[in-house]
């Protein structure tokens, strides 16, 4: 994929003058950071603004900004030093600069105040560690974020095993960003994923957080590469074991791939609606258990529907989504 230079001349967000005024009037230093900055530079819409604030003053800036703009008082999350203000229908998240790390047996991080530089080094990827001041100037303190953005590369600020161990969900986020944004993974990321894949499980990572990432991958423009990266990173077995079981299951007739390869192609060719992509994902998961010596898979659609229900229940999808996906899997052999 050819390099594309990130946009650096962006129009000023209408929230920025108000954020600048609030920060100046209470005497704090703050910047926009994270996905908002990344997407603005890529020319993508990103309504939510993440603001990082020095000296543990995130909640203070949130409270003053809400007062200044006549917004409702912020929702404060004291444990994380964060607060959210809804301004003109947009969420603005204020976070004190902090460092987070996760214990081996917990999904709740240990949080402690940190400098801005420490905060940036503990973020997930260099392209998410770019700062933008409220005059619109971009600052790349790590020295690699803009270059990585230009070539669409996901690289961790620290050694990837350290970054992923701090928050194992970042491994799924890497796959999701690759699918959503058309980014490539820096070569050391996949080996690090394989070595830490077992950590993407409760209670270290909640089911809801995993499912959020899977949903985003599936409705992205590149669901097939997402599935391939999950597999290459050793994450597929923990997230979608039903799909792993289809590997190497041969099928004849008009099929040109084994069941696993056929499933990846089907998902890629399905419109990007969640229910349709999930139905494509699970439509043949009943084949491994129903494979007969003559090459038939009698009843795989019925078994597949049952397996889809079990998998989507495990992933805590809504009953409505589960029922619709199961219906499509059960009837996928019928002519349109």
């Amino acid at each position: 994929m050819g390099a594309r230079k990130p946009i650096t001349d962006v129009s000023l967000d209408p929230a920025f003058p108000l954020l600048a005024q609030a920060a100046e009037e209470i005497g704090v230093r703050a910047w926009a950071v994270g996905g908002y900055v990344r997407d603005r530079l890529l020319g993508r819409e990103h309504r939510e603004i993440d603001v990082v604030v020095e000296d543990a003053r995130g909640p203070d800036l949130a409270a003053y900004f809400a007062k200044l703009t006549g917004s409702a008082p912020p929702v404060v999350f004291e444990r994380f030093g964060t607060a959210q203000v809804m301004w003109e229908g947009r969420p603005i998240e204020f976070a004190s600069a902090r460092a987070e790390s996760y214990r081996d047996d917990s999904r709740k991080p240990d949080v402690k105040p940190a400098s801005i530089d420490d905060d940036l080094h503990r973020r997930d990827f260099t392209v998410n560690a770019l700062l933008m001041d409220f005059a619109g100037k971009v600052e790349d303190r790590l020295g690699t974020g803009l270059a990585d953005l230009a070539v669409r590369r996901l690289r961790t600020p620290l050694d990837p095993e350290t970054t992923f161990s701090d928050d194992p969900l970042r491994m799924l986020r890497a796959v999701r960003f690759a699918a959503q944004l058309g980014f490539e993974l820096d070569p050391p990321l996949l080996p690090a994923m394989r070595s830490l894949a077992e950590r993407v499980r409760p209670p270290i990572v909640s089911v809801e957080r995993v499912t959020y990432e899977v949903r985003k991958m599936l409705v992205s423009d590149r669901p097939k590469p997402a599935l391939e990266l999950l597999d290459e990173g050793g994450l597929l077995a923990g997230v979608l074991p039903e799909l792993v079981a289809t590997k190497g299951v041969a099928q004849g007739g008009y099929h040109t791939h084994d069941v696993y390869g056929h499933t990846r192609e089907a998902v890629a060719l399905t419109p990007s609606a969640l229910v349709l992509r999930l139905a494509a994902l699970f439509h043949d998961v009943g084949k491994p258990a129903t494979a007969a010596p003559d090459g038939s898979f009698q009843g795989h659609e019925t078994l597949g529907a049952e397996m889809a229900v079990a998998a989507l229940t495990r992933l805590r999808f809504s009953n409505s989504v589960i029922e619709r996906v199961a219906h499509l899997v059960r009837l996928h052999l019928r002519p349109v």
Side-chain angles (χ1 to χ4, degrees):
M1 182 179 297
R4 284 178 279 178
K5 186 178 180 180
I7 299 168
T8 53
D9 181 17
V10 294
S11 59
L12 199 64
D13 192 290
F16 277 18
L18 295 168
L19 288 164
Q21 180 182 345
E24 181 179 1
E25 290 183 3
I26 67 168
V28 301
R29 283 161 48 89
W31 300 260
V33 71
Y36 173 85
V37 179
R38 179 201 67 224
D39 283 353
R40 289 280 287 180
L41 295 179
L42 290 173
R44 291 168 51 91
E45 183 179 3
H46 196 113
R47 287 182 55 77
E48 181 175 343
I49 302 175
D50 289 322
V51 177
V52 62
V53 187
E54 278 189 340
D55 301 326
R57 307 242 358 237
D60 295 342
L61 182 57
Y64 193 84
F65 177 81
K67 181 179 178 180
L68 177 69
T69 59
S71 304
V75 178
V76 179
F77 306 92
E78 292 184 7
R79 174 182 171 83
F80 302 104
T82 65
Q84 186 183 88
V85 175
M86 291 299 296
W87 176 75
E88 296 192 353
R90 296 175 66 187
I92 302 182
E93 184 95 11
F94 298 81
S96 301
R98 65 195 191 274
E100 297 180 355
S101 62
Y102 287 70
R103 298 185 300 274
D104 289 345
D105 60 348
S106 175
R107 68 187 185 205
K108 295 181 180 179
D110 293 320
V111 181
K112 61 181 180 181
S115 69
I116 289 290
D117 286 342
D118 286 340
D119 182 289
L120 296 177
H121 277 91
R122 285 295 178 179
R123 288 181 177 265
D124 53 4
F125 305 105
T126 59
V127 296
N128 291 337
L130 297 167
L131 298 173
M132 181 183 288
D133 68 21
F134 300 134
K137 179 183 177 182
V138 177
E139 187 175 350
D140 182 6
R141 293 202 182 187
L142 300 184
T144 54
L146 287 174
D148 288 339
L149 196 67
V151 296
R152 296 293 208 278
R153 174 174 54 215
L154 285 176
R155 181 181 359 189
T156 53
L158 302 174
D159 173 84
E161 289 204 13
T162 300
T163 296
F164 292 156
S165 184
D166 279 350
D167 183 356
L169 187 74
R170 290 169 172 170
M171 294 184 275
L172 294 180
R173 285 168 59 83
V175 175
R176 191 244 295 181
F177 288 141
Q180 281 185 323
L181 303 175
F183 277 42
E184 301 296 329
L185 301 189
D186 197 37
L189 266 60
L190 285 173
M193 288 178 182
R194 288 191 287 269
S195 70
L196 295 168
E198 288 299 315
R199 298 203 69 205
V200 183
R201 56 175 173 77
I204 301 170
V205 179
S206 71
V207 173
E208 290 82 2
R209 293 179 81 199
V210 170
T211 299
Y212 176 86
E213 299 299 331
V214 171
R215 290 171 69 108
K216 293 290 186 181
M217 293 174 205
L218 286 177
V219 298
S220 73
D221 292 337
R222 305 172 76 233
K224 180 183 173 184
L227 294 173
E228 291 168 346
L229 287 174
L230 285 176
D231 189 24
E232 292 174 41
L235 303 171
L236 192 63
V239 177
L240 294 167
E242 298 84 2
L243 202 58
V244 175
T246 65
K247 285 186 175 185
V249 178
Q251 47 188 356
Y254 58 86
H255 292 99
T256 57
H257 299 78
D258 67 2
V259 176
Y260 175 63
H262 168 74
T263 298
R264 299 199 322 268
E265 296 295 333
V267 171
L269 294 171
T270 301
S272 61
L274 179 64
V275 167
L276 296 180
R277 289 259 169 100
L278 285 170
L281 188 70
F282 287 103
H283 81 282
D284 274 351
V285 293
K287 281 188 171 179
T290 58
D294 63 0
S296 66
F297 302 94
Q298 291 293 325
H300 81 272
E301 69 280 12
T302 301
L303 178 59
E306 295 171 358
M307 293 175 67
V309 169
L312 296 176
T313 300
R314 180 186 73 242
L315 293 169
R316 298 183 186 172
F317 280 88
S318 70
N319 289 336
S320 174
V321 167
I322 293 172
E323 290 170 4
R324 292 159 66 196
V325 171
H327 187 67
L328 290 173
V329 172
R330 188 176 296 110
L331 299 181
H332 80 269
L333 294 178
R334 299 195 180 189
V336 174

